[in-house]
Amino acid sequence: MKKLFLILILFHLSCLSEERNVKAEIVKGFSDLSNHSFTNQPFVVLNGEWKFFWNTAPNQIKETDSDLFLNLPGHWNGYKMPYGSIGGFGHASFRTKLKLADNLSETMALTVHEQDTAYAIYVNGKLLGGSGIPGSNPNEYKPEVKSTIVVLPQTTDLTIDIYVANYEHRKGGIWTDIVLSTYTKAESKLTKRKINETMLSSVLAFVGLFFLVMYFYNRDGKHTIGIFLFSMAVFLRTISTGERILIEFVDVPYWILLRLEYISWFWSAPLLYHYFYTIFPEDFSKRMGTFFYVLSSILTLGLLLPPVYFTETASIYPIAFVANGVFVFVYLHRAYKKNRMESKLLSFGMFLVLVGATNDVLHAESIIHTMYIAPATVVVFVFLQVITFGRIVRQNITKTLEFAHEQKQLSTSFSRFVPTEFLFHLGKADIRHVDLGDQVQKRMTILFADIRSFTEFSETLTPKENFDFLNSYLQRVGPIIRHNNGFIDKFIGDAVMALFPYDVNDAVKAAVEMQEAIRIYNGHRSNCGYIPIEVGIGIHTGNLTLGILGEHKRMEGTVISDAVNLASRIEGITKLFSSRIVISADTFIEASDGLGYHYRLLDRVAIKGKTESVFVVEVLDGYEPEKAARLVSTKDDYTLALDAFRREDFEEAIDSFAKLLDTNPDDSVSRLFLDRCYEVQAKPKMEQGS
């Protein structure tokens, strides 16, 4: 009973929509929504009296006091005109006017779900979208079945025209809801509908193939091939109705899609009857099963005719479908009276299927306006069969659950390769939802850290020692990056590329703490007889594109932008100046003085790949405390010396930098500028002028 209760709960949840629609109640082609709150009730269905203009395109509409009205959603078949009732073929415009609130801040959208026809959406006289090509005659008409979302203009008064044409289907008009909502809500809801139908079809396909495999292992179990065929019929119907998820993957012509929808419907009933007959052959009539097979075969041959003929069966076949369900119930009751295996549970499953199928037929005929639930009931029905049939099925489901658990563990393991922070900023819950081409633009601070002279250093180590050393080093700097609200995007050999999405100060603080950790690490290395290491860190802030790069068999998360390249180049500049931490001017401008760190300007330097040079700044707190204190105490003298160098007063610059080096002999930046001054003086005066 616990399993049955769980199934009922899952079924109940699967039939609930994400957010309920409310009706606008259009009266005489107008609805006032100026007081409606799209925050509390995001989806408004534009049901009611739309103005109806038969054989008229939107640009030909001339409104009068005697305009006709047609309740939507609904078909125009049988609509009374002065000259008689109209049929399914023709074209018409439906118009309504809306009044929206003046203070709407979000972009509004209109959603028109799939119709068995072609339609175009006009708002305030402008064509915004549609499905297929509606026209005044069959030569101008191209049918297509898909849902459409159009963005509405930012105005309070809207005139909406839906132009519909039909020269293929037995019925014409608009038989699904037209929904007004914000664009973000509309897109989210349509996406979820497609995801739900994809999941349902995937479950049906999986379970159907599962029973097919069982049949090959046990040819005596004919019921397994029966449930396989029934699952495949419903699977085919699921992907060819509703949002027609089949066309998301394959460009299927309208005439094929329509026939797939009908053939799956025609065969679902006899295949279901056959399935029960294989379980209870003593209680089910073989002759009755043959009758339904013959009926479905005749209807299938009818699919060779034009759609206007075979779609007429939609008014007749439901009778046979319901009759099939009644006979199944009668025979299942007979099996229950004889205490047949699990007949009670099978009766319950059949009841769900019949309820779902009845709902879908009434919904398709515009008698009621709900949603397609038959695939969900079939999924429940199929799982009831899993419960019904023995230990083998239960063991396989257990293995499936174990596989799902392994997948979860695998997903957790993957998070160590693709950071969860990366997925978060990409807008993904976990790595399973990532797809090739997913991307988002962000402004972040990029940090590059690289070990100096690692190539020469690594040549003295064995491969194992190299890996042990790098892992030991990365174990120290990685937590510092995370602690300061950053995450490591990738390891590039001995280099680390980290991203700080929230605050520039996080990156600067992390860089200073990394240098402190490296000094402590070098102390341990010295005690063990190993040579110390030096790490240069470059930081830049800018816009970047974060996304998934690669191909379908091999993907990885990465960031691409000029800002990333510039950060890498700035890290390279640390080698030029023998500095520990160098940041760009952009990062320096955004950094907070509240951190208490000290900076000094290095120079405007040329960056490979950029037409203009950029200013770079050194963070003095990256050095040992004693050296940093000496550099801070002579910062003003350094600034004057650098000013003399930039004014090309090299005599003054030489004197100033020399005095700085007397105080701080290990000031590599002052030594570099002093050498440059000597180099300039050594050149011929004519060359200096050039």
Side-chain angles (χ1 to χ4, degrees):
M1 288 300 295
K2 290 183 178 180
K3 292 182 178 179
L4 182 58
F5 179 74
L6 177 60
I7 291 173
L8 286 171
I9 293 296
L10 293 175
F11 168 67
H12 177 68
L13 292 176
S14 69
C15 293
L16 292 177
S17 58
E18 176 195 6
E19 292 176 274
R20 293 296 182 184
N21 299 333
V22 295
K23 294 184 180 180
E25 295 298 341
I26 295 174
V27 179
K28 300 299 182 182
F30 176 76
S31 181
D32 187 353
L33 297 174
S34 57
N35 295 322
H36 182 81
S37 171
F38 284 92
T39 301
N40 298 329
Q41 297 176 321
F43 298 101
V44 175
V45 179
L46 303 181
N47 287 358
E49 299 174 329
W50 287 58
K51 289 189 176 182
F52 179 58
F53 301 92
W54 178 243
N55 287 340
T56 305
N59 59 1
Q60 299 171 334
I61 292 177
K62 295 181 180 179
E63 294 187 87
T64 66
D65 293 336
S66 61
D67 287 339
L68 303 175
F69 298 92
L70 194 150
N71 283 317
L72 293 185
H75 298 111
W76 64 49
N77 296 60
Y79 189 84
K80 302 294 184 182
M81 300 292 286
Y83 49 82
S85 300
I86 61 178
F89 284 5
H91 65 108
S93 293
F94 298 87
R95 169 171 289 185
T96 189
K97 296 182 179 180
L98 303 178
K99 178 72 175 179
L100 302 182
D102 296 327
N103 59 349
L104 285 177
S105 58
E106 293 193 66
T107 301
M108 302 302 294
L110 195 71
T111 303
V112 179
H113 290 294
E114 74 288 347
Q115 316 287 339
D116 286 322
T117 181
Y119 64 88
I121 305 170
Y122 292 79
V123 180
N124 292 346
K126 184 177 180 181
L127 175 63
L128 297 185
S131 175
I133 302 175
S136 59
N137 59 72
N139 295 326
E140 300 175 356
Y141 163 81
K142 180 182 178 182
E144 188 178 15
V145 184
K146 70 174 183 179
S147 297
T148 305
I149 299 176
V150 297
V151 177
L152 299 177
Q154 298 286 344
T155 180
T156 58
D157 296 304
L158 298 174
T159 299
I160 300 174
D161 294 318
I162 311 294
Y163 181 42
V164 181
N166 175 51
Y167 301 98
E168 293 276 351
H169 202 272
R170 66 191 176 93
K171 287 189 176 183
I174 299 176
W175 63 279
T176 59
D177 290 335
I178 298 171
V179 184
L180 177 68
S181 66
T182 62
Y183 177 75
T184 53
K185 286 286 187 180
E187 189 177 43
S188 173
K189 192 169 188 177
L190 182 60
T191 301
K192 288 179 180 179
R193 282 188 60 174
K194 292 182 178 180
I195 291 175
N196 287 338
E197 292 186 13
T198 303
M199 290 176 62
L200 284 173
S201 59
S202 299
V203 170
L204 288 167
F206 171 77
V207 175
L209 293 175
F210 170 76
F211 277 101
L212 178 63
V213 172
M214 282 189 60
Y215 173 73
F216 284 120
Y217 278 103
N218 181 17
R219 298 298 180 92
D220 295 330
K222 294 183 179 180
H223 57 273
T224 55
I225 197 66
I227 195 64
F228 160 72
L229 293 173
F230 176 66
S231 298
M232 290 298 101
V234 181
F235 164 77
L236 191 60
R237 182 161 179 79
T238 303
I239 64 175
S240 59
T241 58
E243 290 302 326
R244 272 84 172 179
I245 59 174
L246 177 63
I247 61 177
E248 297 288 333
F249 304 96
V250 183
D251 186 16
V252 181
Y254 172 82
W255 63 273
I256 293 180
L257 192 64
L258 193 61
R259 285 168 171 81
L260 286 177
E261 175 185 345
Y262 274 76
I263 196 172
S264 61
W265 187 32
F266 292 157
W267 284 97
S268 57
L271 289 175
L272 182 61
Y273 187 95
H274 173 78
Y275 164 65
F276 283 113
Y277 173 78
T278 58
I279 302 173
F280 308 114
E282 300 91 348
D283 304 304
F284 276 68
S285 169
K286 184 177 181 180
R287 184 177 300 176
M288 188 59 65
T290 303
F291 168 78
F292 286 116
Y293 267 112
V294 172
L295 177 61
S296 294
S297 299
I298 294 173
L299 292 173
T300 302
L301 290 175
L303 296 178
L304 299 174
L305 301 173
V308 65
Y309 297 110
F310 70 74
T311 55
E312 285 293 342
T313 60
S315 301
I316 304 171
Y317 186 69
I319 299 174
F321 193 90
V322 173
N324 178 280
V326 171
F327 279 114
V328 169
F329 266 120
V330 170
Y331 295 140
L332 279 175
H333 181 71
R334 182 185 299 175
Y336 174 70
K337 288 293 186 179
K338 296 179 181 179
N339 295 320
R340 302 292 190 192
M341 176 192 64
E342 300 291 350
S343 56
K344 185 177 181 180
L345 195 59
L346 290 173
S347 299
F348 172 74
M350 183 57 204
F351 172 76
L352 291 181
V353 172
L354 191 59
V355 169
T358 303
N359 171 85
D360 286 12
V361 170
L362 296 176
H363 176 63
E365 290 296 307
S366 296
I367 298 173
I368 62 174
H369 302 293
T370 54
M371 59 187 293
Y372 285 114
I373 65 170
T377 62
V378 171
V379 170
V380 177
F381 171 80
V382 169
F383 276 103
L384 286 174
Q385 314 319 304
V386 175
I387 295 174
T388 303
F389 297 108
R391 184 177 299 176
I392 297 177
V393 177
R394 291 196 296 271
Q395 289 175 347
N396 278 276
I397 289 181
T398 301
K399 291 180 180 178
T400 302
L401 293 174
E402 290 174 353
F403 175 75
H405 180 66
E406 291 175 0
Q407 289 294 99
K408 184 177 180 180
Q409 291 181 323
L410 188 61
S411 179
T412 302
S413 298
F414 271 131
S415 67
R416 291 183 289 178
F417 294 88
V418 179
T420 54
E421 295 89 346
F422 186 98
L423 298 176
F424 170 77
H425 290 287
L426 195 59
K428 304 295 181 181
D430 58 54
I431 199 168
R432 294 173 299 170
H433 303 146
V434 170
D435 199 4
L436 185 65
D438 289 340
Q439 58 181 280
V440 65
Q441 291 188 347
K442 296 273 187 178
R443 181 172 177 81
M444 295 186 181
T445 300
I446 307 103
L447 180 149
F448 271 92
D450 190 37
I451 300 175
R452 300 267 176 80
S453 305
F454 178 73
T455 302
E456 295 82 354
F457 171 74
S458 63
E459 289 176 352
T460 65
L461 305 175
T462 66
K464 182 181 185 304
E465 289 172 336
N466 263 315
F467 271 89
D468 291 343
F469 158 69
L470 285 176
N471 287 329
S472 177
Y473 158 68
L474 295 173
Q475 288 280 6
R476 286 166 169 79
V477 299
I480 294 174
I481 292 171
R482 290 191 295 274
H483 177 72
N484 287 284
N485 304 314
F487 63 92
I488 297 174
D489 177 67
K490 59 172 60 67
F491 300 111
I492 312 169
D494 62 301
V496 175
M497 174 183 169
L499 302 175
F500 294 83
Y502 304 112
D503 194 339
V504 168
N505 301 304
D506 293 336
V508 178
K509 189 169 181 289
V512 173
E513 292 180 6
M514 286 168 65
Q515 292 292 359
E516 292 175 359
I518 291 167
R519 286 194 292 273
I520 296 173
Y521 180 45
N522 281 334
H524 295 315
R525 291 182 61 81
S526 178
N527 294 334
C528 296
Y530 299 131
I531 61 175
I533 63 171
E534 290 188 7
V535 176
I537 300 176
I539 301 174
H540 175 60
T541 303
N543 295 320
L544 51 82
T545 300
L546 180 146
I548 304 300
L549 188 68
E551 48 94 12
H552 288 288
K553 294 295 184 182
R554 176 67 171 89
M555 298 182 289
E556 70 174 14
T558 190
V559 289
I560 299 175
S561 78
D562 182 61
V564 175
N565 296 331
L566 183 54
S568 176
R569 302 296 183 189
I570 290 174
E571 184 280 318
I573 290 173
T574 63
K575 301 174 184 177
L576 173 66
F577 290 98
S578 296
S579 299
R580 299 288 173 82
I581 304 173
V582 176
I583 65 176
S584 69
D586 292 330
T587 302
F588 173 71
I589 292 171
E590 294 187 34
S592 171
D593 293 335
L595 289 176
Y597 295 147
H598 303 87
Y599 308 86
R600 66 175 177 179
L601 179 67
L602 292 181
D603 198 5
R604 179 188 286 273
V605 296
I607 301 295
K608 183 178 180 181
K610 293 187 68 69
T611 57
E612 297 182 0
S613 57
V614 297
F615 278 108
V616 290
V617 177
E618 182 181 34
V619 182
L620 300 179
D621 300 84
Y623 294 107
E624 297 79 1
E626 299 80 6
K627 180 177 179 179
R630 293 197 307 272
L631 294 176
V632 171
S633 66
T634 59
K635 180 180 175 181
D636 293 339
D637 296 333
Y638 168 83
T639 302
L640 294 174
L642 182 63
D643 179 65
F645 177 83
R646 295 182 63 80
R647 288 186 285 103
E648 299 185 0
D649 188 347
F650 298 111
E651 291 294 338
E652 180 182 343
I654 289 174
D655 182 60
S656 299
F657 283 122
K659 290 180 180 179
L660 287 169
L661 288 170
D662 289 340
T663 305
N664 300 315
D666 55 352
D667 184 357
S668 58
V669 176
S670 295
R671 187 169 301 282
L672 176 65
F673 280 115
L674 181 62
D675 292 341
R676 287 182 177 178
C677 292
Y678 286 137
E679 289 175 5
V680 172
Q681 282 191 335
K683 294 181 181 179
K685 292 184 178 181
M686 185 177 297
E687 185 177 346
Q688 292 182 35
S690 64

